[in-house]
């Protein structure tokens, strides 16, 4: 790489447009920056339990680093899908240098965060996050379809403290050495990779499906009936919504059983709440990305004009909310059999928090008309995460959970008002005629 080109700073040109104005990349960076912002703001909001406070903040900081790695992976996939990238002078070099700068900056910020909170004992978690992030990037370069597994990287974050405890005394040195070796292999591969026809398929699928992947199952009469029950809310997202609704509780129970057998604490219900909210956001993400399909939905028989289609869509959203609520009620009840901390009040708070988050996101999503607007709903997911995390910390420290349940009631009313009002904003001003 030309040293004069690096020192000139020309490789920074267009970086803001490339990384912040691209909706896909901005979505991932937005999650990371949200984690950073919450890590900076939450010390003033969390209880005084220093150990639990650092654990919560470290989770947010790891989310910041992991989201940066996913955003870089998205840009590398986009670069591989761009046919003209090879003929534009120094375009590839500029993108690679920008990605490297972004990753190094995130690591520096995370290290400063550890120093400020005197939490260098959590350095292994940061190294594990980097290891998983670099591994994700490497496999994404080897196979473009591996980018669909980005959600695995996010799922692994709550498990990092328990993995770090399993490391030997020299774990930090081993992790640092492994990270450096993997970084060298990754840079070597990046300097040689070129155009990939499969990368464009991944890119287009990401725009429509929100970069979430689940294995497809053969259709059955039961699944078909289930999908008809959710029609037309699932018209844009397709069978993936059904797969998510089936997989989320099963994975939660599997993780809960594994944590029970290994005698470790995993916030499985916390993860289920987050993924339920994300599923609701993805329903509207796919609706917005496939805006041309609205007319195809409109001409289907069974709708009494545009308002009839809106009414049917909203009714299907209420059905989806009912399914998510029942799923959480049953899953939380089963998990309570393995956890002595799960009292009736905690179970009620978790169920209500799930309903609040899903109803609010479905309502806000109905009001959204652009990808940028639906991406902004991740801020509400983050607020919900802070709400649930703080309440569970109160339970673990022996506090009164009924205080949180009392606040759930007005929030629940507000969330249902948001969902009800979304009916009057859905497809408002579109070209569809009444």
């Amino acid at each position: 790489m030309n040293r004069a080109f690096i020192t000139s700073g020309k490789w920074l040109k267009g970086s803001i447009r490339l990384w912040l104005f691209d909706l896909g990349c901005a979505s991932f960076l937005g999650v990371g920056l949200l984690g950073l912002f919450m890590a900076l703001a939450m010390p003033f909001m969390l209880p005084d339990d220093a150990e639990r406070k650092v654990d919560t903040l470290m989770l947010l900081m790891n989310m910041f680093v992991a989201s940066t790695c996913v955003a870089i992976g998205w840009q590398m996939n986009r670069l591989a899908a761009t046919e003209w990238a090879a003929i534009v002078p120094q375009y590839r070099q500029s993108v690679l240098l920008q990605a490297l700068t972004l990753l190094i900056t995130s690591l520096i910020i995370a290290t400063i965060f550890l120093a400020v909170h005197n939490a260098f004992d959590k350095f292994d978690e940061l190294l594990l996050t980097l290891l998983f992030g670099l591994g994700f990037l490497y496999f994404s370069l080897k196979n473009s379809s591996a980018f669909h597994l980005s959600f695995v990287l996010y799922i692994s974050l709550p498990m990092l403290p328990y993995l770090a405890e399993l490391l030997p005394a020299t774990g930090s040195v081993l992790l640092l050495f492994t990270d450096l070796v993997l970084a060298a292999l990754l840079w070597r591969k990046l300097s040689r990779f070129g155009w990939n026809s499969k990368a464009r398929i991944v890119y287009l699928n990401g725009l429509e499906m929100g970069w979430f992947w689940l294995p497809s199952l053969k259709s059955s009469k039961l699944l078909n009936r289930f999908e008809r029950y959710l029609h037309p809310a699932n018209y844009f997202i397709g069978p993936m919504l059904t797969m998510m609704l089936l997989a989320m509780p099963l994975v939660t129970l599997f993780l809960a059983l594994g944590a029970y057998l290994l005698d470790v604490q995993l916030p499985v219900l916390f993860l289920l709440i987050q993924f339920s909210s994300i599923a609701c956001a993805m329903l509207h993400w796919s609706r917005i990305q496939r805006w041309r399909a609205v007319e195809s939905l409109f001409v289907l028989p069974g709708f009494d004009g545009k308002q009839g289609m809106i009414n049917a869509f909203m009714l299907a959203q209420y059905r989806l909310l009912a399914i998510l609520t029942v799923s959480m009620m049953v899953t939380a009840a089963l998990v309570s059999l393995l956890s002595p901390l799960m009292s009736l009040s905690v179970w009620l708070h978790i169920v209500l928090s799930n309903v609040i988050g899903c109803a609010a996101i479905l309502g806000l999503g109905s009001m959204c008309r652009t990808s940028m607007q639906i991406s902004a709903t991740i801020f509400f997911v983050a607020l919900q995460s802070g709400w649930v995390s703080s309440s569970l910390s109160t339970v673990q420290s022996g506090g009164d959970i009924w205080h949180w349940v009392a606040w759930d009631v007005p929030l629940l009313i507000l969330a249902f008002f948001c969902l009800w009002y979304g009916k009057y904003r859905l497809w408002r001003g579109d070209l569809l005629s009444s």
Side-chain angles (χ1 to χ4, degrees):
M1 192 172 290
N2 193 335
R3 181 175 298 180
F5 174 68
I6 297 176
T7 57
S8 66
K10 293 181 179 179
W11 53 274
L12 287 171
K13 290 185 177 180
S15 57
I16 294 179
R17 196 76 188 175
L18 181 67
W19 294 88
L20 299 182
F21 282 77
D22 184 283
L23 293 178
C25 184
S27 297
F28 293 118
L29 285 180
V31 174
L33 292 175
L34 182 61
L36 175 61
F37 173 78
M38 292 180 66
L40 296 176
M42 275 196 171
F44 307 100
M45 303 165 56
L46 293 176
D48 294 332
D49 189 336
E51 183 178 356
R52 297 193 184 281
K53 179 184 293 187
V54 172
D55 289 341
T56 303
L57 299 179
M58 195 62 207
L59 176 62
L60 294 171
M61 190 56 59
N62 288 333
M63 185 176 74
F64 168 58
V65 176
S67 297
T68 302
C69 291
V70 177
I72 292 173
W74 189 91
Q75 287 290 0
M76 296 304 102
N77 181 78
R78 182 185 180 188
L79 187 62
T82 306
E83 299 181 50
W84 49 262
I87 62 176
V88 176
Q90 299 174 331
Y91 176 74
R92 289 183 183 274
Q93 294 90 327
S94 296
V95 177
L96 293 179
L97 286 173
Q98 292 169 14
L100 179 62
T101 302
L102 193 62
L103 179 59
I104 293 176
T105 302
S106 67
L107 293 175
I108 292 175
I109 293 175
T111 304
I112 295 175
F113 177 85
L114 292 177
V116 170
H117 290 274
N118 194 23
F120 277 109
D121 57 322
K122 304 291 183 180
F123 192 63
D124 287 350
E125 294 183 30
L126 179 60
L127 292 177
L128 281 172
T129 302
L130 180 61
L131 178 64
F132 291 168
L134 294 178
F136 163 74
L137 289 174
Y138 186 80
F139 284 113
S140 296
L141 291 175
K142 287 183 68 69
N143 186 350
S144 297
S145 298
F147 185 80
H148 292 303
L149 299 176
S150 57
F151 76 98
V152 177
L153 183 59
Y154 287 104
I155 292 178
S156 67
L157 297 181
M159 305 178 188
L160 294 181
Y162 310 104
L163 295 177
E165 292 178 358
L166 300 177
L167 294 173
T170 57
S172 298
V173 178
L174 293 175
L175 284 174
L176 183 59
F177 177 76
T178 306
D179 285 339
L180 291 175
V181 172
L182 187 56
L185 293 174
L186 184 61
W187 186 258
R188 184 170 178 266
K189 191 168 187 64
L190 282 171
S191 62
R192 297 183 177 182
F193 91 120
W195 178 72
N196 185 355
S197 59
K198 295 181 180 179
R200 178 173 173 80
I201 299 175
V202 176
Y203 170 76
L204 294 176
N205 181 75
L207 285 179
E208 294 181 348
M209 307 304 288
W211 295 274
F212 195 97
W213 176 88
L214 280 172
S216 60
L217 301 176
K218 291 185 177 180
S219 183
S220 65
K221 291 183 178 180
L222 182 61
L223 291 181
N224 287 335
R225 184 177 299 177
F226 190 72
E227 291 174 6
R228 287 197 300 270
Y229 182 72
L230 292 175
H231 181 79
N234 62 349
Y235 179 80
F236 304 96
I237 194 172
M240 189 182 70
L241 179 61
T242 301
M243 297 300 103
M244 291 175 64
L245 294 177
L246 293 175
M248 288 189 301
L250 293 178
V251 172
T252 300
L253 294 174
F254 175 78
L255 292 175
L257 181 60
Y260 175 76
L261 295 176
L262 297 175
D263 195 21
V264 296
Q265 294 292 329
L266 286 180
V268 291
L269 294 177
F270 175 81
L271 293 176
L272 180 58
I273 290 175
Q274 301 310 299
F275 276 98
S276 297
S277 299
I278 291 173
C280 295
M282 287 178 59
L283 183 146
H284 286 285
W285 173 280
S286 60
R287 175 183 67 83
I288 292 171
Q289 292 296 333
R290 294 180 172 180
W291 58 272
R292 294 183 182 89
V294 177
E295 294 184 3
S296 300
L297 174 63
F298 183 57
V299 298
L300 290 178
F303 300 131
D304 183 15
K306 176 182 175 181
Q307 189 59 47
M309 183 177 71
I310 293 175
N311 293 338
F313 192 94
M314 296 302 298
L315 177 60
Q317 287 197 111
Y318 282 105
R319 290 173 175 172
L320 173 61
L321 182 61
I323 292 172
L324 290 171
T325 302
V326 173
S327 176
M328 176 58 74
M329 292 172 64
V330 175
T331 305
L334 294 176
V335 171
S336 67
L337 300 177
L338 306 175
S339 175
L341 295 177
M342 276 291 294
S343 61
L344 177 61
S345 57
V346 175
W347 176 86
L348 180 61
H349 174 62
I350 288 176
V351 172
L352 290 177
S353 297
N354 185 65
V355 177
I356 291 169
C358 293
I361 290 177
L362 288 173
L364 293 173
S366 300
M367 304 178 198
C368 295
R369 299 186 61 190
T370 66
S371 298
M372 188 64 72
Q373 290 173 346
I374 194 65
S375 297
T377 58
I378 195 66
F379 285 94
F380 186 86
V381 177
L383 291 175
Q384 183 194 30
S385 301
W387 174 261
V388 178
S389 177
S390 299
S391 61
L392 294 181
S393 297
T394 302
V395 174
Q396 293 176 345
S397 59
D400 182 19
I401 192 63
W402 286 109
H403 175 74
W404 296 87
V405 174
W407 277 102
D408 285 333
V409 176
L411 291 176
L412 184 66
I413 296 174
L414 184 61
F416 271 100
F417 173 79
C418 181
L419 180 57
W420 168 80
Y421 184 69
K423 174 180 179 179
Y424 300 97
R425 306 294 299 181
L426 181 63
W427 291 311
R428 181 178 179 181
D430 288 351
L431 297 178
L432 296 174
S433 58
S434 302

